[in-house]
């Protein structure tokens, strides 16, 4: 193992004993939700993974080491520091690690950490994608490129319509990333189970998902798989309301000139404020729902 990677004892023994492990990201903690709900949620998600038979491995960067299996203290630290912690995607790793800095890992970097440690299933809320207006801004999340190249399955609630969902699906198709609807034919749109767009395939059980991923690996096809798991109906938001809110948030970001890595965190925070915190509740429920499914898939592997 290289000196830039630190795997906790619990996670390391689970991996060596071939027990199920689920990776979890940390940008959602420091840049995706306010303190202290972010820390409460991160710890709750870990316990849901355990209740469903797998070992949780929250991934982050602490003191220049890509840490797989963050401690409760480290999670508290990332949550409390919030936006002060660097949001770390693939391009941030070399400088952060060589300088001994801290970072909150995005989907892309969490996939890298999981892959280096030997973990194949990862649960989060939403993945990055092709932003609206990307034909001008070229803002396409490095998450998509990572899904194209790194052999980790990502369980999410689809993509927020802060993105251009149609272009995001096109990009994933070009890169050969299978997009699975879990129990649905329709791509879920994070806060709602409806986007009006079709997924590539619908699979209905953890075993079917595990089996498709194993097949991909056996064939030596590089890259991940995106499993989209709709938010449970009782926690979903009204599509008209949330879409209008997102439209406003995207316009406000544009008027303020917010772009690049700051855009996604700004939109998430602004949407939470515009909905009086209701979007945060939906967000928490869907992350918990994804953690439970990811643990079941990890067990089926
Ligand atoms: N989408 C969400 N919540 C999040 C993120 C995306 O609904 O917390 C975070 C994830 O960590 C994701 C990152 O990997 O934002 C994508 O950022 P960017 O678009 O700058 O690549
Ligand atoms: Mn971006």
């Amino acid at each position: 193992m290289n000196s830039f990677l630190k795997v906790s004892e619990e996670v390391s023994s689970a991996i060596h004993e071939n027990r199920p492990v689920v990776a979890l990201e940390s940008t959602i903690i420091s840049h995706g939700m306010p303190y202290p709900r972010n820390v409460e949620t991160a710890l709750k998600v870990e316990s849901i993974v355990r209740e469903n038979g797998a070992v949780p491995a929250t991934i982050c960067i602490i003191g220049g080491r890509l840490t797989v299996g963050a401690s409760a203290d480290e999670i508290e630290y990332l949550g409390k520091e919030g936006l002060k912690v660097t949001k770390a995607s693939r391009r941030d790793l070399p400088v952060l690690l060589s300088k001994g800095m801290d970072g909150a890992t995005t989907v892309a970097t969490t996939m890298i950490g999981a892959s280096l440690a030997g973990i194949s299933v990862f649960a989060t809320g939403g993945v990055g994608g092709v932003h609206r207006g990307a034909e001008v801004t070229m803002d396409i999340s490095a998450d998509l490129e990572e899904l194209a190249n790194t052999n980790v399955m990502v369980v999410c609630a689809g993509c927020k319509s802060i993105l251009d969902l149609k272009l995001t699906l096109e990009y994933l198709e070009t890169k050969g990333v299978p997009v699975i609807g879990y129990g649905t034919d329709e791509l879920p749109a994070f806060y709602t189970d409806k986007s009006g767009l079709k997924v590539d395939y619908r699979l209905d059980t953890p075993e079917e998902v595990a089996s498709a991923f194993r097949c991909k690996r056996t064939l030596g096809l590089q890259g991940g798989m995106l499993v989209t798991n709709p938010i449970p109906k009782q926690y979903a938001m009204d599509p008209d309301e949330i879409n209008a809110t997102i439209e406003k948030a995207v316009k406000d970001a544009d008027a303020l000139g917010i772009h690049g890595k700051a855009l996604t965190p700004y939109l998430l925070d602004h949407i939470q404020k515009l909905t009086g915190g209701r979007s945060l509740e939906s967000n928490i429920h869907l992350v918990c729902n994804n953690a439970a499914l990811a643990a079941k898939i990890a067990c089926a592997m």
Side-chain angles (χ1 to χ4, degrees):
M1 278 294 152
N2 68 57
S3 61
F4 293 116
L5 186 68
K6 180 184 154 200
V7 185
S8 75
E9 236 163 74
E10 187 195 14
V11 172
S12 160
S13 51
I15 293 166
H16 285 111
E17 291 160 19
N18 232 338
R19 284 185 283 125
V21 180
V22 172
L24 301 163
E25 63 151 309
S26 47
T27 292
I28 191 173
I29 304 175
S30 54
H31 292 67
M33 292 182 192
Y35 182 79
R37 298 301 298 283
N38 54 2
V39 173
E40 286 163 26
T41 304
L43 297 175
K44 182 161 177 219
V45 164
E46 288 206 340
S47 64
I48 290 171
V49 169
R50 287 187 201 283
E51 284 157 23
N52 286 280
V55 172
T58 298
I59 298 183
C60 58
I61 301 166
I62 301 284
R65 297 181 83 189
L66 190 50
T67 302
V68 181
S71 66
D73 285 346
E74 287 166 339
I75 289 173
E76 168 73 20
Y77 164 75
L78 292 168
K80 215 167 191 170
E81 289 293 293
L83 300 181
K84 280 184 259 167
V85 181
T86 305
K87 173 179 161 187
S89 199
R90 172 178 267 267
R91 59 103 186 258
D92 301 284
L93 286 178
V95 174
L96 291 182
L97 297 191
S98 64
K99 282 195 164 292
M101 294 165 74
D102 299 330
T105 53
T106 61
V107 167
T109 10
T110 304
M111 288 178 76
I112 295 171
S115 167
L116 288 171
I119 302 170
S120 25
V121 182
F122 163 20
T124 186
V127 290
V130 180
H131 277 270
R132 296 186 190 184
E135 63 277 16
V136 174
T137 62
M138 289 180 73
D139 191 348
I140 299 172
S141 175
D143 292 354
L144 298 186
E145 210 58 36
E146 210 59 53
L147 279 162
N149 294 309
T150 301
N151 304 325
V152 173
M153 178 196 305
V154 180
V155 180
C156 69
C159 302
K160 282 201 178 73
S161 52
I162 60 174
L163 302 171
D164 187 321
L165 301 186
K166 212 168 165 191
L167 291 187
T168 302
L169 286 181
E170 288 295 346
Y171 198 94
L172 289 167
E173 187 253 339
T174 301
K175 296 292 178 171
V177 178
V179 178
I180 308 300
Y182 189 76
T184 180
D185 294 306
E186 187 168 345
L187 177 75
F190 200 85
Y191 298 119
T192 70
D193 54 355
K194 301 251 174 302
S195 66
L197 298 168
K198 291 260 172 280
V199 289
D200 302 334
Y201 292 97
R202 168 185 179 149
L203 298 177
D204 292 302
T205 63
E207 289 71 26
E208 284 179 295
V209 177
S211 152
F213 193 68
R214 269 198 312 268
C215 172
K216 190 171 151 307
R217 240 197 263 174
T218 306
L219 291 172
L221 298 174
Q222 289 302 306
M225 191 161 112
L226 194 63
V227 178
T228 64
N229 186 29
I231 182 170
K233 283 218 186 311
Q234 66 269 35
Y235 304 123
M237 300 191 72
D238 174 60
D240 292 337
E241 184 206 349
I242 192 65
N243 288 330
T245 305
I246 288 170
E247 289 290 344
K248 172 160 171 48
V250 169
K251 271 201 195 104
D252 290 349
D254 195 40
L256 291 168
I258 293 168
H259 63 96
K261 69 191 284 185
L263 181 59
T264 301
Y266 171 81
L267 291 172
L268 297 180
D269 178 60
H270 200 40
I271 292 165
Q272 278 162 28
K273 286 180 179 138
L274 290 171
T275 60
R278 279 178 301 126
S279 67
L280 177 60
E281 299 310 316
S282 293
N283 200 341
I284 292 170
H285 285 296
L286 66 86
V287 176
C288 292
N289 186 47
N290 295 341
L293 176 59
K296 288 176 193 151
I297 296 170
C299 292
M301 288 276 246

